Amino acid sequence: MKFFKNLLTFIIFCNSFHFFSQKKPNVVMIVLDDLNDFTGYMNGHPQAETPNIDNLASQSVIFNNAHSNVPVCSPSRASFMTGIHPITSKFWGFGNALKNEVFMNSKSIPEFLKENGYQVFQTGKVFHQSPKKVWDDSGIPADYGPMAFNGKKQVGHPSNPTEMAEQLGALDATFVPLSDVPVIDSSEAGPGYNGWRFTNWKTNRHFNYVNEENRDLITDEMSAEWFKDKISELEENSNQKPFFIATGFIRPHTPLVVPTKYYEKYPIENIEIPKRLKNDLLDTEYVTGNKETRGHKAWRLLSEGYGSEELGLKKFTQAYLASINFADDMVGRVVDAIENSVFAKNTIIILFSDHGFFVGQKDHLWKYNLWKEASHVPLLIRQPGNSKNAGNVVNHPVSLIDIFPTIMDYCSFKGSTIKNDKGKAYNGYSLKPFIENTTSKKWKGPDEALTMIASWKSKDPDKQHFAIQTSRYRYIKYFNGGEELYDHQNDPDEWYNLANEKKFDKVIKDMRLRLEERIEDYNK
C-alpha cells in the first residue's frame, strides 16, 4: 500500500511539474463553420440547443459584436489566420488563397508560433487551403461528406429538391439525417451507387452505414477523437514545449448530414422558422436591378422544391439546428479533453465561427452578403485565472483579424510576421484589454468592424461592397453608391433601412467618413 501511495505522489508531482514548467500558455482554437447566432447564449433561435458552447460562454469573455471580415470560407480563413484584412491582401472572393501573394508571404498563426517555440497541430478544417509544412501534425483531413454518389461524382440526395442540387450543387442542397442512406440508380450520368461516400480526394471512399451503432465516423467525430488522443499524447510526452491546437469542425456547413439522434430532437411539426419580415428586400439595394444572389436563389429553389416557403424553411431549419447541436457535442468533447488533462489551468480556449449564415431572413439561404446575419459570429475567449470576468460581455465591435494579435499578446511574442517584402503586417489588434476589462478604454483598435464582399466589377479595393458595424449602427455601401443604414438599438433584425430618412443624414455622413478611414487604413 505504501508503494502505491508513493507512486501516486510521484505521478502527481510529475504532472504538476509538467504544468508549472510551461511558462507560456497553451492555446486551443475551435473554429466552427457557417454558425450564426443560433446558440443558447446568443438567443438567435428559441430552439437552438448548445449546452457545451453555452457552458464555455459562462467561463469566457463573450464578444457580442464580433464580425467576419468576408462572410465566406476561403477569404475569411485566410484573413483570420494571418490577421490581415482582405482589403490589404486583395483577397476577398472565391479564389485559392495559396495563389495570393500577400497571404503566402506573410506568416500565419502556426508559422509564427512554431518559430517562437510552440508545437503546432491542427485537425479538420482550419485553413480553407492549407499551406504546406506549417503544422507538426495535420490530424484528420477535412471532408464535408458523406454525400450521395452516382458512381462518378457526388450528386443531390433523393430526399431533397432535385432542381436545388442541379443549380446550386449537391453540397449546398443536401440536408438529411445520416440514417437516410441514398440509393442512386444508374443513368447516363453514372452507373449508380448504393450508400454514402466521403468526398475529399484524400479520403474518397465508401462511407459504411448499417445503423447508428455500426457506421463510420464523419470528419468532425474523427477530429474530436483525434484531439482527445493528442492531448493524452502530449501529457505522456516529456517535451515541455507549449502547444497550439486548431480544431476545425465543419458542421453546421452543408451538407447538413449528422446522426439521426440530432434530427430526432427537432420534430418537423414543432420547428419554428426564423423571424422574417414579408417583402423585407423592398427597401434594400438588392431590388435596384442587381443580379439574383446565390443566397436568394437558394431560398427560392428551397421554397419551390417543397411547394411552400414555410415547409422548405422548416426542413432546412430542422437540419441546421440538428447540425448545430451535433457540432456543440464535438465542442464539448474538446473542452472536456482539456478540462480532464494536466493542461486545464494553463490553456486559453478561443471559439468562433468563420462567418454567419442566413436561414430565410431577407429571403436568403446562404452567406456572402453584407447584412448582419452573414457577418455576425460567436466569439468566446476563456483565459484561465480570469474568473472575475467569466460570462461578461463585450459590446464593442471587433473582427476576426483580431484573433492572431490576441494570441501573440498572451504568448508574449514579438517580431515581424512578414516573410519578405511581398508580405504585409497584420491589421488586427489584441483583444486582451477587453478580456481583462470588458469596458476597457485601453483598446487600440478601431470603433467599427469592416466586412466586405466582391462587386465583381473591379479589382480595386475601393470599388467593392462594404459594411461597417459600430456599437449601434450597421452601414452598407455598394459599388454603385447605394446605401443602407440599420439602427440595431431599435431594429436588431435589420428590417428597416434608414438611409433615405432625413433625420439620419448626420449618422449617414459620419458612417461614410468612418468607412473611408477604414478603407484607407487597410489599403496602405
Side-chain angles (χ1 to χ4, degrees), residues 367-386:
K367 49 216 175 189
Y368 208 62
N369 61 57
L370 294 175
W371 297 303
K372 181 185 74 171
E373 204 69 25
S375 74
H376 189 211
V377 295
L379 174 57
L380 306 174
I381 301 180
R382 191 184 79 174
Q383 175 202 351
N386 192 34

Side-chain angles (χ1 to χ4, degrees), residues 277-316:
L277 178 68
K278 188 175 181 180
N279 297 322
D280 192 15
L281 291 175
L282 291 181
D283 66 346
T284 70
E285 286 300 309
Y286 176 81
V287 296
T288 60
N290 291 332
K291 182 180 178 181
E292 183 181 41
T293 65
R294 182 181 176 88
H296 187 268
K297 179 186 285 189
W299 167 83
R300 176 174 58 78
L301 292 171
L302 178 75
S303 302
E304 293 170 357
Y306 284 101
S308 78
E309 178 195 22
E310 182 175 6
L311 179 57
L313 286 179
K314 277 180 173 283
K315 289 281 189 179
F316 198 92

Side-chain angles (χ1 to χ4, degrees), residues 67-77 79-80 85-87 89 91-94 354-356 367-370 374-375 400 450-454:
H67 296 270
S68 171
N69 299 108
V70 182
V72 75
C73 299
S74 183
S76 174
R77 290 166 185 265
S79 65
F80 70 66
H85 197 280
I87 291 176
S89 67
F91 183 61
W92 50 70
F94 296 89
D354 57 352
H355 48 75
K367 49 216 175 189
Y368 208 62
N369 61 57
L370 294 175
S375 74
L400 296 184
L450 175 60
T451 299
M452 68 183 299
I453 61 173

Side-chain angles (χ1 to χ4, degrees), residues 195-266:
W196 293 108
R197 194 169 181 86
F198 281 112
T199 62
N200 186 300
W201 66 271
K202 292 182 180 179
T203 56
N204 188 9
R205 63 176 174 82
H206 182 74
F207 180 95
N208 175 62
Y209 185 93
V210 177
N211 53 49
E212 291 296 304
E213 288 70 44
N214 183 1
R215 65 173 177 84
D216 286 334
L217 300 179
I218 63 178
T219 295
D220 291 347
E221 292 171 312
M222 289 189 280
S223 285
E225 289 297 310
W226 177 92
F227 185 93
K228 183 178 178 181
D229 292 342
K230 178 58 68 176
I231 292 299
S232 296
E233 176 189 318
L234 290 167
E235 284 185 304
E236 295 170 3
N237 196 328
S238 60
N239 183 353
Q240 302 303 313
K241 292 170 65 176
F243 60 78
F244 168 76
I245 307 180
T247 303
F249 291 126
I250 293 172
R251 298 296 180 266
H253 193 292
T254 52
L256 302 178
V257 178
V258 295
T260 305
K261 67 179 182 179
Y262 297 99
Y263 271 78
E264 291 174 344
K265 293 182 179 182
Y266 303 98

Side-chain angles (χ1 to χ4, degrees), residues 1-17:
M1 180 64 71
K2 184 176 181 180
F3 169 76
F4 287 109
K5 286 183 178 180
N6 290 338
L7 179 61
L8 180 60
T9 300
F10 177 73
I11 291 173
I12 293 173
F13 171 77
C14 288
N15 283 343
S16 298
F17 178 76

Side-chain angles (χ1 to χ4, degrees), residues 89-276:
S89 67
K90 297 181 173 60
F91 183 61
W92 50 70
F94 296 89
N96 187 337
L98 300 182
K99 295 181 180 180
N100 179 265
E101 185 174 76
V102 173
F103 176 69
M104 291 305 294
N105 292 288
S106 305
K107 297 171 189 175
S108 62
I109 295 174
E111 291 173 291
F112 193 66
L113 267 66
K114 193 171 184 178
E115 73 176 27
N116 277 276
Y118 270 64
Q119 304 172 82
V120 293
F121 312 107
Q122 74 114 42
T123 187
K125 182 181 175 182
V126 180
F127 289 100
H128 195 71
Q129 296 92 10
S130 186
K132 294 180 179 179
K133 299 179 180 179
V134 300
W135 303 102
D136 293 319
D137 185 347
S138 293
I140 305 300
D143 191 307
Y144 291 87
M147 296 278 290
F149 187 66
N150 71 356
K152 286 187 176 180
K153 64 179 183 178
Q154 55 188 273
V155 294
H157 193 283
S159 296
N160 297 133
T162 301
E163 192 170 355
M164 195 174 176
E166 289 175 349
Q167 294 199 36
L168 299 173
L171 188 75
D172 286 333
T174 300
F175 41 101
V176 294
L178 196 54
S179 58
D180 190 353
V181 179
V183 176
I184 306 299
D185 295 331
S186 62
S187 67
E188 292 181 0
Y193 198 80
N194 187 351
W196 293 108
R197 194 169 181 86
F198 281 112
T199 62
N200 186 300
W201 66 271
K202 292 182 180 179
T203 56
N204 188 9
R205 63 176 174 82
H206 182 74
F207 180 95
N208 175 62
Y209 185 93
V210 177
N211 53 49
E212 291 296 304
E213 288 70 44
N214 183 1
R215 65 173 177 84
D216 286 334
L217 300 179
I218 63 178
T219 295
D220 291 347
E221 292 171 312
M222 289 189 280
S223 285
E225 289 297 310
W226 177 92
F227 185 93
K228 183 178 178 181
D229 292 342
K230 178 58 68 176
I231 292 299
S232 296
E233 176 189 318
L234 290 167
E235 284 185 304
E236 295 170 3
N237 196 328
S238 60
N239 183 353
Q240 302 303 313
K241 292 170 65 176
F243 60 78
F244 168 76
I245 307 180
T247 303
F249 291 126
I250 293 172
R251 298 296 180 266
H253 193 292
T254 52
L256 302 178
V257 178
V258 295
T260 305
K261 67 179 182 179
Y262 297 99
Y263 271 78
E264 291 174 344
K265 293 182 179 182
Y266 303 98
I268 195 69
E269 62 272 15
N270 297 335
I271 291 295
E272 297 182 35
I273 57 179
K275 291 190 302 180
R276 290 153 12 270

